[in-house]
Amino acid sequence: MMKKLRGRNLAHPGCLIGITVGMTIGIVLAEILAAVFHIALNTVLLAWLGLTLGLGVIGWIIGDRLTSRFPPLEEDVQSSSSPGPPAP
């Protein structure tokens, strides 16, 4: 699996994962804050937005940092050339 990720920028997938987790946790937290603790809607929406943006930025930073740890593999010239018909 990690060989497929070598040489790719992981910031975008990290951001996507962070925003998805932020949305999910934010919606659940917003429901709990509104239903159980009777907190104002503005505060609930700000908490949801903060979680979504915060986890998205954290995912972007982690993905960007991971990219530098997985440099692309050097390939042999023979393995990277396309197989074609032999020369006459």
Side-chain angles (χ1 to χ4, degrees):
M1 168 92 176
M2 294 311 285
K3 288 184 180 180
K4 291 181 181 180
L5 296 176
R6 286 189 174 274
R8 297 178 188 229
N9 188 346
L10 302 178
H12 292 287
C15 182
L16 177 65
I17 292 169
I19 287 179
T20 303
V21 170
M23 290 271 193
T24 305
I25 293 174
I27 289 171
V28 171
L29 182 65
E31 181 181 359
I32 292 170
L33 290 175
V36 176
F37 297 109
H38 305 291
I39 295 179
L41 180 61
N42 289 342
T43 306
V44 170
L45 290 175
L46 285 175
W48 172 77
L49 181 64
L51 270 172
T52 301
L53 294 178
L55 289 175
V57 168
I58 289 170
W60 179 276
I61 292 170
I62 290 172
D64 190 48
R65 299 281 186 229
L66 282 177
T67 302
S68 62
R69 293 186 183 181
F70 303 116
L73 292 174
E74 298 295 327
E75 294 185 25
D76 295 335
V77 176
Q78 292 175 349
S79 66
S80 65
S81 64
S82 62

